[in-house]
Amino acid sequence: MLYRLSAPLRTGLVTILLGSLSACATLPASGPTAGEIKRRVNSSGNTIGFRIADITAPVLAEIEAKADVVDRAAPTLAGLAAEGRNDVVGPGDVLGIGIFEVGVSLFGTSGGGEVGQGFDSGARNVTFPAIVVDRQGGISLPYIGRLQVAGRTPPEIQDMIVRGLRGKSQSPQAVVAVRSNLSGTVYVGGDVRKPGRFELTLQRERLLDAIALGGGAANSSEDTLVRFNRGSQTVEERLGRIRAGAADDLVLIPGDRIELIKRPRSFIVLGATTRVSQVAFETGDLSLAEAVARAGGPQDERADPSAVFLFRYDPMAQSDARAQPVIYRLNMMEPASYFLAQKFAIRDKDVIYIANAAANRPTKMVSIINQLFTPFVTARVLTQKN
């Protein structure tokens, strides 16, 4: 059955319809359409100078080449490699010193020394178990006086003691051992399970050895940044990129400081997708295809699959600190795009935007108009029945 509306009612509905169609652009949306983004490139509103580049094989090759140049120019831990010694004494170290004599003795009594037990009764010895190297790098011993021992090995300090006793003692000998090696330590802190100071040995420990001594990273290696300080230089690098025994796995020297920092990499997904979210990488490398899949992909009823945009700042040149804003477009209606998306590497803090389909707003408007018409039609039906 057809129902006819009165002339005034028809006029009013037509007015509402025309006004509604002109208001399509003001309807709520999760973001701009592909056409609106393109129009903004050459508009006066593009104050930051962004550009749009379709993801093609030549563009992908250009991106990879530029990324390779930037990666090579970035400082790495290998640049801090230096030779150092951890077998020498320094300020704060605690030394154990034993002195042995034969015949006329300056120290101790016959066979009474801690180290000399079991020796011939004609030998004399005395042990100084805790001699601290002072701030200036020296120690003081009876009958010898002050010795500057900083930067010396235990055997060299033994020779210094023997030379100091010559002419005062008969056939003196000395044994020097490092009881506490404070100067030959490295510091491991931050997001490790057991932060602290660790002594280096003659085995020449490396960076990953020190992290292991600290109980390992508290978070995954991909989410952990290593901040390494050597002297006045500091370099940061992802723990997940450091391989055992490689150049970045530095041989440690006294005074090195290692700090582990939790800094997960992530990308942001906006627009016509299943959910708007910030997504963690969780792996070493991530492609655009994997990123779109993790976001749930374009939403069938809302998205324009030919307009998947990636927003990022690209470095303009190796020596240029500035960065150029670029919008890369992936057309998922083209089969070749799926192969390119597998090679397009996502970077930390990239923004992926899946554009709304251009038909979304008219569809919403039709829905609104239907809601406006429904009460009138219902009223008309009820009137006819009565």
Side-chain angles (χ1 to χ4, degrees), residues 14-15 31 49 113 119 136-137 164 175 177 185 197 202 205 211 249 259 275 278 281 285 294 312 329 331 335:
V14 170
T15 303
F119 278 69
Q136 289 73 37
V175 175
T185 57
R197 181 171 54 197
L202 297 180
E205 288 84 0
I211 293 174
D249 187 17
E259 183 182 5
R275 65 184 185 278
Q278 181 178 13
F281 275 40
D285 298 309
R294 285 195 188 181
R312 77 162 47 146
R329 178 182 177 179
N331 183 357

Side-chain angles (χ1 to χ4, degrees), residues 275-300:
R275 65 184 185 278
V276 173
S277 58
Q278 181 178 13
V279 185
F281 275 40
E282 297 179 354
T283 57
D285 298 309
L286 192 68
S287 70
L288 178 56
E290 292 171 319
V292 172
R294 285 195 188 181
Q299 197 171 23
D300 288 343

Side-chain angles (χ1 to χ4, degrees), residues 195-324:
R197 181 171 54 197
F198 302 97
E199 294 186 9
L200 297 176
T201 69
L202 297 180
Q203 301 226 344
R204 294 172 59 83
E205 288 84 0
R206 291 178 175 266
L207 167 62
L208 295 182
D209 297 328
I211 293 174
L213 289 172
N219 305 288
S220 71
S221 60
E222 298 298 341
D223 289 340
T224 301
L225 195 69
V226 177
R227 179 177 293 163
F228 194 99
N229 176 264
R230 174 168 284 177
S232 61
Q233 294 180 293
T234 301
V235 173
E236 295 179 350
E237 190 170 344
R238 289 273 167 188
L239 178 58
R241 296 188 178 275
I242 302 173
R243 298 291 176 261
D248 291 333
D249 187 17
L250 293 172
V251 176
L252 301 176
I253 60 176
D256 286 343
R257 291 181 175 270
I258 304 162
E259 183 182 5
L260 269 58
I261 304 168
K262 181 181 179 181
R263 191 174 295 173
R265 295 173 301 163
S266 63
F267 62 94
I268 297 171
V269 182
L270 303 171
T273 181
T274 305
R275 65 184 185 278
V276 173
S277 58
Q278 181 178 13
V279 185
F281 275 40
E282 297 179 354
T283 57
D285 298 309
L286 192 68
S287 70
L288 178 56
E290 292 171 319
V292 172
R294 285 195 188 181
Q299 197 171 23
D300 288 343
E301 63 273 18
R302 295 171 50 207
D304 179 359
S306 68
V308 176
F309 296 99
L310 184 139
F311 294 71
R312 77 162 47 146
Y313 279 94
D314 267 352
M316 298 180 67
Q318 178 179 347
S319 59
D320 198 334
R322 297 174 299 170
Q324 182 182 32

Side-chain angles (χ1 to χ4, degrees), residues 93-117:
D93 289 350
V94 179
L95 307 179
I97 299 176
I99 297 177
F100 298 83
E101 303 170 283
V102 176
V104 178
S105 173
L106 290 173
F107 305 98
T109 58
S110 176
E114 179 181 326
V115 179
Q117 291 183 1

Side-chain angles (χ1 to χ4, degrees), residues 4 24 46 59-60 79 88 111 127 174 204 211 213 222 272 280 308 339:
R4 298 184 63 184
C24 272
N46 185 8
V59 169
L60 183 59
V88 296
T127 299
R204 294 172 59 83
I211 293 174
L213 289 172
E222 298 298 341
V308 176
F339 292 100

Side-chain angles (χ1 to χ4, degrees), residues 32-149:
T33 63
E36 289 170 336
I37 292 176
K38 290 179 180 178
R39 287 194 291 272
R40 291 294 180 91
V41 174
N42 299 318
S43 72
S44 58
N46 185 8
T47 56
I48 63 175
F50 68 83
R51 63 183 179 88
I52 297 178
D54 287 330
I55 299 178
T56 61
V59 169
L60 183 59
E62 180 185 347
I63 293 171
E64 291 175 343
K66 187 180 295 185
D68 186 57
V69 171
V70 172
D71 288 344
R72 287 201 306 267
T76 62
L77 294 181
L80 295 181
E83 290 296 327
R85 299 185 62 178
N86 56 12
D87 60 342
V88 296
V89 171
D93 289 350
V94 179
L95 307 179
I97 299 176
I99 297 177
F100 298 83
E101 303 170 283
V102 176
V104 178
S105 173
L106 290 173
F107 305 98
T109 58
S110 176
E114 179 181 326
V115 179
Q117 291 183 1
F119 278 69
D120 184 81
S121 58
R124 307 288 189 274
N125 76 285
V126 65
T127 299
F128 303 96
I131 302 293
V132 180
V133 180
D134 61 28
R135 185 177 300 177
Q136 289 73 37
I139 61 173
S140 295
L141 292 175
Y143 303 106
I144 299 175
R146 182 173 177 80
L147 297 175
Q148 193 67 23
V149 298

